[in-house]
Amino acid sequence: MTADSKNLYLAIGLSCLVIVGWSYFFAPKPDRARVAEIQRQAAQTQAAPGEAPAGAPAGAPVSLPRDLAPADAAAPKTRAEALAASPRVKIDTPALSGSLALKGARLDDVALKAYRETTNPSSPNIVLFSPAGAPDAYYAEAGFLAASGETLALPRADTLWQADRDTLTPQTPVTLTYDDGQGLVFHRQIAVDDRYMFAIKDSVENKSDKPVTLAPYALVARQGLPKTANYAVLHEGFVGVIGDGGVEEIKYDKIEKEDGAAKTFSGVGGWLGFTDKYWAATVIPDQKAPIEARFSAGLSPSGQKSYRADFAGAAQTLAPGASTEVMSRVFAGAKEVETLDRYQVDPGIKKFDLLIDWGWFYFITRPMFRLLHFLYRLTGNFGVAILIATVIVKGLFFPLANKSYLSMAKMKAVAPQIAAIRDKYPDDKMKQQQETMALYKRDKINPVSGCLPMLIQIPVFFALYKVLFVTIEMRHAPFFGWIKDLSAPDPTNVFTLFGLIPWDPTQLPVFGHFLALGIWPVLMGISMFVQMKANPEPSDPTQKQIFTWMPVIFTFTLGTFPSGLVIYWTWNNILSVAQQTLIMKKAGVKIELFDNIANMFKKKATS
């Protein structure tokens, strides 16, 4: 294999890695047998509701039972009916609206004021939490567990609490109270900030004549398999950081395959919950407290899949007349970078920025976001910020690109000599390789240097892709013209004549996915074609065909990519052609662009 061929296959392999690896998506498939097995295991391992394991020593974290409260009604309800099933305290903050259920003291009704379902400003706000029994129920709760064998009337899902006010705002916390009638009095103060963090201060007074052992817990639960984007590049599902470990990410279908349909962790502090593409809900213990945490799956009374992320803290024994107090938090909102960074500093939540799936190239993705966000603040347009960031990256890589293009120019100069070597040893590939490498060495040509810009560009490309795909700051960010959302594909389609023909080609079986071909992907394909033709054409006919068809393949493949990424790639190709032309002129090498295009239309001479 010649050095040219190696370079070609390396370039193709790297390109395919970018395109196939990061555009591949999959959908989880329900496994009825596995669901039945989960239900059987749940029945076998279920502990008594509201009890901590027997013998839990004071000061040690306890393990949570599978069920903490009476089962919610199996009969499905509308969201409005489920909300009406409990008296409520209104939630009203600059970022959130909704209500807190007094029955069970759950956070189960939260909507995001700043975010809507579509780019239409009159579309509904994003609803994050919904009460149990409603479609896609999603809620958070906290409380206490009792030691096994103790018959304590602890607060449960059907417990009705009393509130000292009817509205929760950042300026007016709400205190809930419940007296079990057996000597235990519970107080729960719930505060909320101006973004998405709830602070829950639980206290209990033992007014009985005997000691009791209690352990705090908190959980966030979902009923029904959540709708996910199902992209391999994006994690959606369970997420958390427990103690000093790294981030734990487990998809919904994977937790069902764990032993007992659950996975446990232990450590000091951290956080855990669920993450969607742009939204998340987590429970957060005291960052200095030891906890036992768990991700688990099961079935609701109505037969729906259900998922829960929970933790239990240290058991404490309260003597008669004693009291105790614990603090926990609930995050429920949008995964805004600056907001998560702020919570990581105050109140000091460990690695909370990892609630966003920055990926393997974290060390590039985070700086890329900061650069784009800085440029956005200057220009007021994320699309323009992408264009400027591309120029900056090109400028940083200019010295390397300069060497690469000069090496390419040298290879063009020795092309006749390489052709002569092939003619001299037509049947001896090994000799061709040896003579070619000797020629490169003599003329100080590095055939691999032409691939270096591509190698370096891949992590930069992926970093920008991740930023556009996973950060909410890019969601619904407009460019110019028809691009209203840089995180979504180009909405136009050449196969419908841009809306004149009333049909959807993407619904066709097998290859319909590749027919989402908008204007920007076409422009990208044209720019890539021009870039290919600006390079010296390979002498091998097979290589010529591959380079000719590669822009076409990329054009159709990138049709479903975020439009911001396609705009970046198009602009990057244009800058590359301009850069290459400048360097080639400076080196005194002929620009092959127009000759290569003209050669495409020349008929082969007949023998």
Side-chain angles (χ1 to χ4, degrees):
M1 182 184 292
T2 66
D4 284 345
S5 296
K6 286 182 179 179
N7 290 343
L8 170 66
Y9 297 137
L10 176 61
I12 293 174
L14 293 172
S15 300
C16 291
L17 180 65
V18 175
I19 298 300
V20 177
W22 290 307
S23 66
Y24 175 74
F25 62 94
F26 57 90
K29 298 180 181 179
D31 187 337
R32 297 183 184 276
R34 182 60 190 168
V35 170
E37 176 65 10
I38 293 169
Q39 190 173 24
R40 184 185 66 79
Q41 291 174 350
Q44 290 178 348
T45 60
Q46 182 173 340
E51 294 183 356
V62 302
S63 298
L64 281 162
R66 182 168 293 275
D67 287 322
L68 292 170
D72 295 305
K77 305 175 184 176
T78 65
R79 189 170 189 275
E81 290 172 338
L83 288 171
S86 168
R88 295 190 165 268
V89 172
K90 183 180 178 182
I91 298 172
D92 187 13
T93 80
L96 301 174
S97 63
S99 61
L100 161 70
L102 290 180
K103 184 180 289 187
R106 283 176 173 173
L107 287 169
D108 63 358
D109 175 26
V110 171
L112 311 183
K113 289 183 176 180
Y115 298 98
R116 298 187 178 274
E117 293 181 358
T118 70
T119 54
N120 187 338
S122 62
S123 64
N125 288 102
I126 294 294
V127 173
L128 186 63
F129 278 175
S130 289
D136 303 316
Y138 192 4
Y139 54 85
E141 69 175 56
F144 288 96
L145 305 172
S148 179
E150 293 195 29
T151 56
L152 301 178
L154 297 182
R156 297 156 69 95
D158 57 355
T159 297
L160 187 61
W161 294 66
Q162 301 300 315
D164 66 344
R165 64 179 72 247
D166 58 8
T167 303
L168 171 63
T169 72
Q171 294 77 34
T172 56
V174 169
T175 298
L176 309 181
T177 303
Y178 168 67
D179 188 333
D180 72 349
Q182 299 179 12
L184 294 181
V185 179
F186 298 86
H187 299 281
R188 176 169 298 165
Q189 184 187 76
I190 302 176
V192 63
D193 65 9
D194 59 351
R195 300 309 295 162
Y196 311 115
M197 189 68 74
F198 295 86
I200 302 174
K201 184 189 295 182
D202 271 313
S203 62
V204 58
E205 300 173 73
N206 183 9
K207 296 184 178 181
S208 71
D209 58 358
K210 60 181 180 179
V212 295
T213 300
L214 301 173
Y217 79 88
L219 65 85
V220 58
R222 306 188 81 158
Q223 293 176 358
L225 182 65
K227 299 179 180 67
T228 59
N230 290 331
Y231 280 89
V233 72
L234 171 70
H235 173 70
E236 294 177 277
F238 294 90
V239 64
V241 171
I242 309 301
D244 296 323
V247 63
E248 298 286 346
E249 296 177 333
I250 304 178
K251 290 188 177 290
Y252 295 106
D253 59 333
K254 299 298 182 184
I255 200 68
E256 298 170 10
K257 299 174 184 177
E258 292 286 338
D259 184 26
K263 189 167 184 178
T264 58
F265 313 88
S266 61
V268 176
W271 52 272
L272 69 159
F274 299 104
T275 179
D276 298 328
K277 183 176 182 179
Y278 295 122
W279 334 109
T282 67
V283 284
I284 305 154
D286 184 324
Q287 295 301 288
K288 296 180 180 179
I291 61 168
E292 292 287 338
R294 181 181 62 186
F295 298 149
S296 62
L299 290 175
S300 70
S302 61
Q304 280 187 315
K305 290 185 177 183
S306 61
Y307 306 91
R308 198 173 75 185
D310 51 46
F311 73 82
Q316 301 179 47
T317 298
L318 295 182
S323 64
T324 187
E325 181 179 282
V326 294
M327 173 69 79
S328 62
R329 289 180 168 84
V330 173
F331 172 88
K335 299 191 297 185
E336 300 165 350
V337 176
E338 290 186 349
T339 300
L340 300 183
D341 287 347
R342 188 181 83 185
Y343 290 144
Q344 185 164 312
V345 175
D346 182 17
I349 304 171
K350 298 177 180 180
K351 302 178 182 178
F352 204 51
D353 64 322
L354 296 183
L355 191 52
I356 296 174
D357 180 14
W358 294 107
W360 293 348
F361 294 109
Y362 175 94
F363 60 96
I364 300 177
T365 311
R366 280 302 302 259
M368 180 65 75
F369 170 80
R370 292 187 184 280
L371 173 62
L372 284 170
H373 200 57
F374 171 76
L375 294 172
Y376 167 68
R377 286 179 170 176
L378 289 180
T379 63
N381 188 295
F382 265 116
V384 174
I386 291 171
L387 301 184
I388 298 174
T390 308
V391 174
I392 292 173
V393 172
K394 277 289 183 183
L396 292 175
F397 292 151
F398 183 83
L400 186 60
N402 187 48
K403 290 183 180 180
S404 175
Y405 289 134
L406 288 177
S407 176
M408 194 182 301
K410 290 181 180 179
M411 290 187 69
K412 175 64 177 177
V414 299
Q417 298 176 58
I418 294 176
I421 291 173
R422 289 174 180 166
D423 292 340
K424 187 175 181 180
Y425 306 103
D427 301 320
D428 191 343
K429 298 295 182 182
M430 182 64 71
K431 190 64 175 177
Q432 286 183 19
Q433 181 78 357
Q434 291 173 350
E435 291 295 321
T436 300
M437 295 309 295
L439 176 63
Y440 288 157
K441 185 175 181 180
R442 185 170 62 250
D443 288 15
K444 298 180 179 180
I445 297 173
N446 183 2
V448 181
S449 65
C451 292
L452 284 178
M454 182 176 291
L455 282 169
I456 295 176
Q457 186 177 324
I458 284 177
V460 175
F461 167 85
F462 183 59
L464 181 60
Y465 178 47
K466 288 288 285 189
V467 168
L468 289 171
F469 198 80
V470 307
T471 57
I472 196 170
E473 287 77 4
M474 306 297 172
R475 181 180 185 263
H476 295 174
F479 186 46
F480 296 114
W482 62 94
I483 301 298
K484 306 300 182 183
D485 184 357
L486 287 168
S487 67
D490 188 326
T492 60
N493 196 311
V494 297
F495 295 107
T496 65
L497 295 182
F498 312 111
L500 293 178
I501 303 176
W503 75 299
D504 185 2
T506 63
Q507 298 303 311
L508 293 176
V510 183
F511 58 87
H513 172 75
F514 296 100
L515 299 184
L517 191 59
I519 295 174
W520 271 107
V522 171
L523 294 176
M524 189 286 305
I526 294 172
S527 69
M528 189 175 184
F529 170 80
V530 172
Q531 184 183 22
M532 291 285 187
K533 291 303 177 182
N535 295 323
E537 284 198 337
S539 55
D540 183 77
T542 302
Q543 293 182 19
K544 274 186 181 180
Q545 289 297 318
I546 291 174
F547 278 123
T548 299
W549 284 100
M550 190 178 292
V552 178
I553 296 171
F554 272 53
T555 297
F556 282 91
T557 306
L558 288 181
T560 56
F561 273 46
S563 54
L565 184 66
V566 180
I567 291 169
Y568 156 74
W569 201 326
T570 305
W571 179 235
N572 184 68
N573 288 343
I574 293 170
L575 292 178
S576 296
V577 172
Q579 186 179 48
Q580 183 176 346
T581 301
L582 179 65
I583 293 173
M584 291 294 197
K585 269 190 174 183
K586 187 177 179 181
V589 177
K590 181 181 178 182
I591 307 300
E592 304 284 343
L593 174 61
F594 298 108
D595 289 346
N596 289 339
I597 293 176
N599 289 336
M600 291 179 60
F601 300 98
K602 289 182 180 179
K603 293 182 179 180
K604 293 183 179 179
T606 56
S607 55

